Amino acid sequence: MADNLNGYLHHENSNSIFSEQLQEIDNSHYSLEINEFFKSTTTSTKRNIQDHQAQYIQELTQAKHQLKQNTLDSYYEERQAKLDDELTQELEQYLAELLDENNKP
């Protein structure tokens, strides 16, 4: 009976060692999966950040270009309108002076 008990304990002990080894294997398998998940997630996140950054820089560049265009266009239009007003006023004044000189006896 003592032999049976020792055999049972030895058998149970070997099962425990075997299950520990399986756990180590399983843990290493999960560890590999976790590492792969971490790598793929990190790579994907870096790629997303780079894509977003590139898109944002492109949008900023377009906005900058558009602002430069609008600023120059609006400046040109405002300056042109101002010059037209000044020219009109000078011509009106000149014509008024001519008419006054012609109307003098």
Side-chain angles (χ1 to χ4, degrees):
M1 181 138 155
D3 289 336
N4 284 342
L5 183 61
N6 281 336
Y8 177 76
L9 289 176
H10 181 67
H11 177 71
E12 191 173 302
N13 194 16
S14 66
N15 280 343
S16 148
I17 291 171
F18 182 70
S19 66
E20 285 176 11
Q21 288 175 345
L22 279 178
Q23 281 182 334
E24 287 178 17
I25 292 171
D26 287 344
N27 287 342
S28 67
H29 176 69
Y30 293 130
S31 179
L32 289 174
E33 286 181 17
I34 289 171
N35 283 337
E36 287 300 317
F37 174 76
F38 178 73
K39 285 179 186 177
S40 68
T41 303
T42 303
T43 303
S44 174
T45 302
K46 283 181 181 178
R47 191 175 331 111
N48 288 343
I49 290 171
Q50 289 171 345
D51 291 345
H52 177 73
Q53 191 176 33
Q55 181 182 358
Y56 186 69
I57 288 172
Q58 182 181 11
E59 289 173 7
L60 285 177
T61 302
Q62 287 175 348
K64 181 180 173 182
H65 179 71
Q66 188 176 19
L67 284 173
K68 282 183 177 181
Q69 285 298 108
N70 288 343
T71 301
L72 290 177
D73 289 343
S74 62
Y75 172 78
Y76 177 77
E77 290 173 7
E78 289 173 13
R79 184 70 177 143
Q80 188 67 34
K82 187 176 179 181
L83 288 174
D84 286 345
D85 288 344
E86 289 176 6
L87 196 71
T88 302
Q89 287 175 359
E90 288 178 10
L91 283 173
E92 287 174 353
Q93 186 179 1
Y94 178 73
L95 289 174
E97 289 174 6
L98 277 177
L99 286 174
D100 281 342
E101 286 180 7
N102 287 336
N103 288 334
K104 287 185 183 178

